[in-house]
Each structure stands twice: as structure tokens, then as C-alpha cells.
Amino acid sequence: MSGRLVHVGSAVVDYVYRIDALPAAGTEKTASAYARVAGGGFNMMVAASRTGMKVVFGGQLGTGPDGDFLRKAFAAEGIETLTPPSPSMDSGNCVAMISADAERTFVSWPGAESRLTPDMMKSVQVVAGDWVFTSGYTLSYPGSRDALTHWIEALPAGIPFVFDPTPVIADIPRPILDRVLARTTWLSCNTNEAAEIAGAGDAQTVAIRLLAEHCPSAEGVVIRAGAQGCLVRMADGGTRAVPGFEVEAVDTNGAGDTHIGAFVNGLSRGMLPCEAARYANAAAALSVTRHGGSSAPADTEIQEFLTERGEATTAPGRAKATAT
């Protein structure tokens, strides 16, 4: 195994309501279920951790009931927090409404995770073998984007940096986005986010532009397409569409996070990028068959899933599973 995943994004508490459909303006709905769960960047960290990677958190948690809730969730997953809690703010939260078609709608409130300073980031140290990840959410916050961008730019050259722009990409100032993309080793985004960066076009054309014009140091980009799978474009010119898996989805919340966490874990174990993408597609497929954003499967579950479909993975140090 490689070193750690150092996550310098954000984690929040999700207040999840399940409803048949979104209410019309001025009306009210009664939820069929409710849950309070750890969310945001926690979902990606869980995916990496459950598939076998050591994960540490370099963002900021708050002081208060939501911060306490997140610390307990981190501890339960074996995720260490590298920064001290905010002395003045609680962690943020997000209301997530999951409709009967498994789609989700969010309303968020930023908290301590939206405030990062250079002094806070001093305690977040990386060593050879580590992988670093951040998301667009932390870069969208005026109180955190500058400190985080400087910290990313100062990463040692040999440390891989993975970036997910997330749906809030339009809220990231373009100069900040360009600086982060310039240091990105692997970009993982959905089709809408890819087009926001590089303009409209088919996935392969957009991926080519992402590498040629926006991510000059990247080894590759992954453009996620939900149930259809993803497209992997390498800096050396190789392109492959990696199909998804047909499952009955009950909750798509956290599927992208699961995909990224599993993909990074696969790369860290020595999988080839397309094999890591297939592994990530399987992880995301399993996650949407379960309720909750942090529904990422364990490595053994992913391997069993792939073996059942005759697509078992092989990574250095791992014996190839035998299909049954």
C-alpha cells in the first residue's frame, strides 16, 4: 500500500429528508424518512478508507453539536483530524431532499469548514507516498480559498494532487480555479463541470481541451457520467470510455464522492487508470443501491461485485480473483 490520503476539503452534517417529489413553491411536504448523517467530504474519505487507504483530514471542524457529531463519525471510520477545532464556529450543515427517483436537492449553510488560514494549514504536513485531495466547495468559500490555494501550490512536486470541482464550480473565481488546475495531477468531474471549465462538446473533445488548455501538469482526467460510467483521458493521448454497471438505484447522494475515493485508492495501489476507473464505477454502483451519502462499499464487496460480472481487478500484491 502507498501512503495516506490527505483530504483538505470540507465536511458537514447532512440533514436528509426523503420525499416523493419536491414541493411546489409555497407548499409543504411530509417526509417519509429523516436522518442526520456526516456528509460533504466525509463521503469521499469513507470511500477511500473502506477500500483500504489510510485517510487523514486537513480541513476544519467546528465547536458545537455539528462539530461534535462529525468528530464521532470520523473516529468511527478511523479518520484522524490534523487541525484543531475552530474556537468560534460550529461545523456547517446541509439539508438534502431525496426524491422518489433517487435524485437529490441541497441547501447548505457554511460553518467552520469555510474558514481556513495559513496558520491552520501549518499542521497539515505531507510526506512521500501521500495523495492529496480537495473539492470545489472549499475553494468556493471566500474565507478559505486563498489559504488553501497557496497551500496546494506549495505541495512538493512528487505529491499527487486530485481535484473535484463539484457543482459549485461557478462560485470559484476563475483565477483561483486556474491556479488549482495548474497543480492538478488527476481531475475528476462530471460532464457539466467539465463543460464549465473547458466549454461544450462531446466528452472526449472536452477531455482533450481540459488537458491541453487547463491542466498542464495532469496525468489524466476522469469525466463521470453517472450510470453510464466514465471517460478516462490520459496526458499521453490514450482515451477509454469505461462503462458503468446496471443496478437499481435508491439514492444517488454521494455516488460521485464514492467514485473519486475508490479511484484514488485504486491508483495508490498500482492499478492502471482504466482499471481504477472500473473499480470506482463498481463502488459507485454499489453505493447507489443503499441509502445515505456515506454508503461506500468495502474493497471485498467491490471485488465480489466485479467477480460476479467477470471483471475482477488485479493490483500489485493482489491475487486475481477467480470468477465463479
Side-chain angles (χ1 to χ4, degrees):
M1 289 292 291
S2 74
R4 309 166 300 171
L5 170 66
V6 182
H7 192 296
V8 288
S10 57
V12 299
V13 174
D14 284 346
Y15 295 85
V16 183
Y17 297 84
R18 302 195 179 281
I19 53 179
D20 59 348
L22 289 176
T27 67
E28 181 177 340
K29 285 274 187 179
T30 299
S32 60
Y34 161 78
R36 182 187 185 210
V37 297
F42 180 76
N43 298 331
M44 187 274 187
M45 287 183 269
V46 166
S49 177
R50 289 181 184 171
T51 50
M53 200 170 188
K54 173 67 175 176
V55 179
V56 295
F57 180 58
Q60 179 81 162
L61 296 180
T63 299
D66 283 344
D68 292 343
F69 184 86
L70 288 170
R71 271 182 286 277
K72 290 179 181 178
F74 276 44
E77 295 287 343
I79 299 169
E80 177 188 358
T81 301
L82 302 179
T83 58
S86 168
S88 59
M89 298 180 69
D90 199 358
S91 290
N93 60 70
C94 176
V95 173
M97 292 175 285
I98 313 297
S99 53
D101 58 1
E103 287 300 328
R104 64 266 196 256
T105 303
F106 302 116
V107 178
S108 61
W109 173 255
E113 72 284 351
S114 67
R115 306 287 180 87
L116 290 178
T117 67
D119 284 344
M120 290 178 191
M121 297 301 293
K122 286 179 181 177
S123 61
V124 186
Q125 300 292 323
V126 298
V127 297
D130 284 348
W131 290 68
V132 174
F133 170 85
T134 201
S135 79
Y137 284 105
T138 313
L139 294 170
S140 73
Y141 301 134
S144 63
R145 61 171 66 118
D146 290 329
L148 181 55
T149 300
H150 285 299
W151 186 88
I152 290 168
E153 289 178 322
L155 284 170
I159 298 294
F161 170 61
V162 182
F163 178 49
D164 172 20
T166 75
V168 300
I169 184 172
D171 297 330
I172 305 171
R174 194 68 192 214
I176 292 288
L177 181 62
D178 288 343
R179 288 165 63 190
V180 172
L181 290 172
R183 178 55 182 84
T184 296
T185 311
W186 278 96
L187 175 70
S188 178
C189 55
N190 65 29
T191 53
N192 291 335
E193 295 152 9
E196 179 73 24
I197 297 171
D202 63 85
Q204 180 168 326
T205 299
V206 173
I208 291 170
R209 287 203 299 264
L210 284 170
L211 285 168
E213 302 172 14
H214 303 280
C215 304
S217 301
E219 294 180 13
V221 300
V222 178
I223 300 180
R224 308 185 310 271
Q228 284 68 52
C230 63
L231 181 135
V232 178
R233 173 75 183 187
M234 302 295 296
D236 64 9
T239 305
R240 182 173 173 184
V242 184
F245 297 93
E246 186 175 344
V247 295
E248 185 174 346
V250 299
D251 186 349
T252 60
N253 189 21
D257 297 315
T258 296
H259 193 281
I260 299 169
F263 180 72
V264 172
N265 177 279
L267 291 179
S268 77
R269 297 205 318 240
M271 291 183 189
L272 295 174
C274 289
E275 185 175 21
R278 185 171 65 252
Y279 181 82
N281 285 352
L286 283 167
S287 77
V288 303
T289 66
R290 306 165 179 178
H291 290 296
S294 55
S295 56
D299 176 68
T300 53
E301 295 176 286
I302 300 170
Q303 296 294 344
E304 290 171 3
F305 181 89
L306 288 166
T307 298
E308 289 170 358
R309 287 155 179 78
E311 297 190 37
T313 63
T314 303
R318 175 189 297 280
K320 186 174 179 69
T322 301
T324 58

